């Protein structure tokens, strides 16, 4: 039954995306950009509803009070497709730096362009990246929230951290607070898998790291606070959901954390 529910959810998830884009296209493109953002925000909420009702997966958010009222950078853990849209209902005006190929997808790419997402050729260097930073600064000056995954790509739950220094350079140049976000959605929506697992987990929004730190010190601090919180929400998810099948990386990390706790 779990496999069947997973497949039903997957079908409805993509049907929900396609139908909404087609039906709401006239409304979306006639509205001003900020008002049009209500369309992807409602889509994200509907996905949460589908996952709860079909799969039985729910989550809770801690630390909403830590989101600055001004422009900031969100730095969440990245484990599955879930975390690319999950927090949209709680963001006022997000902007992503994403690969340009996504903007070539009919309808979907047009939606991205309407929200002024920053498309980049990942293989580009030099002047192209300078232009990306210039556009990023312009968007941030308008009070938008930039979403950056510090590890760059999806990582399995419990995996050894592999942070990329690019976020430290952006932190230095843009000069806005960085908000780390710890979560373990990969336990319930695994990468490279069609399975979806029921349960409940936490999303923890940590206190913002204020601008002005040395980039190296900021980078070390970000890793320290985000990994500590990620370990805590990992243990919490495992304790809440004792029947949840764990990937090898998560099982290994949980064993290490429990051993460390026992030794203390």
């Amino acid at each position: 039954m779990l496999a069947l529910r997973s497949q039903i959810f997957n079908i409805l998830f993509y049907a929900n995306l396609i139908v909404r884009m087609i039906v709401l296209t006239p409304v979306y493109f006639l509205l001003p950009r900020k008002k049009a953002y209500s369309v992807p925000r409602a889509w994200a909420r509907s996905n949460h509803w589908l996952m709860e009702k079909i799969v039985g997966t729910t989550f809770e958010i801690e630390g909403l009070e830590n989101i600055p009222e001004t422009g900031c950078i969100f730095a969440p853990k990245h484990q599955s497709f879930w975390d690319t849209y999950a927090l949209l209902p709680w963001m006022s005006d997000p902007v992503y730096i994403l690969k340009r190929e996504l903007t070539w997808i009919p309808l979907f790419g047009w939606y991205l362009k309407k929200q002024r997402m920053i498309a980049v050729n990942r293989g580009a260097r030099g002047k192209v990246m300078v232009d990306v930073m210039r556009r990023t600064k312009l968007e941030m000056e308008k009070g938008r929230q930039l979403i950056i995954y510090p590890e760059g790509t999806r990582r399995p739950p419990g995996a050894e951290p592999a942070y990329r220094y690019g976020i430290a350079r952006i932190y230095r140049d843009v000069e806005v607070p960085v908000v780390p976000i710890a979560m373990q959605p990969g336990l319930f929506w695994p990468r490279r898998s069609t399975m979806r697992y029921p349960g409940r987990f936490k999303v923890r929004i940590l206190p913002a790291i204020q601008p002005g730190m040395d980039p190296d010190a900021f980078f070390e601090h970000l890793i320290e606070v985000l990994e500590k919180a990620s370990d805590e929400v990992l243990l919490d998810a495992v304790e809440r959901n004792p029947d949840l099948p764990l990937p090898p990386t998560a099982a290994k990390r949980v064993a290490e954390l429990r051993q460390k706790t026992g030794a203390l």
Side-chain angles (χ1 to χ4, degrees), residues 100-170:
R100 62 176 180 175
E101 288 80 4
L102 291 175
T103 64
W104 299 344
I105 302 173
L107 274 183
F108 184 74
W110 306 341
Y111 271 67
L112 295 177
K113 289 180 179 179
K114 170 80 173 183
Q115 291 300 318
R116 292 207 305 265
M117 300 305 176
I118 302 170
V120 60
N121 177 1
R122 287 189 173 182
R125 294 291 185 271
K127 291 184 178 180
V128 173
M129 295 310 298
V130 170
D131 182 62
V132 167
M133 282 307 306
R134 179 188 63 80
R135 292 167 55 200
T136 300
K137 282 186 175 182
L138 287 174
E139 295 298 335
M140 298 300 293
E141 288 170 359
K142 297 168 185 173
R144 302 187 71 180
Q145 301 92 41
L146 176 66
I147 295 85
I148 299 177
Y149 301 105
E151 294 176 280
T153 188
R154 291 178 298 171
R155 302 273 294 164
E160 289 287 333
Y163 288 70
R164 298 184 179 181
Y165 194 75
I167 189 171
R169 297 191 182 96
I170 295 175

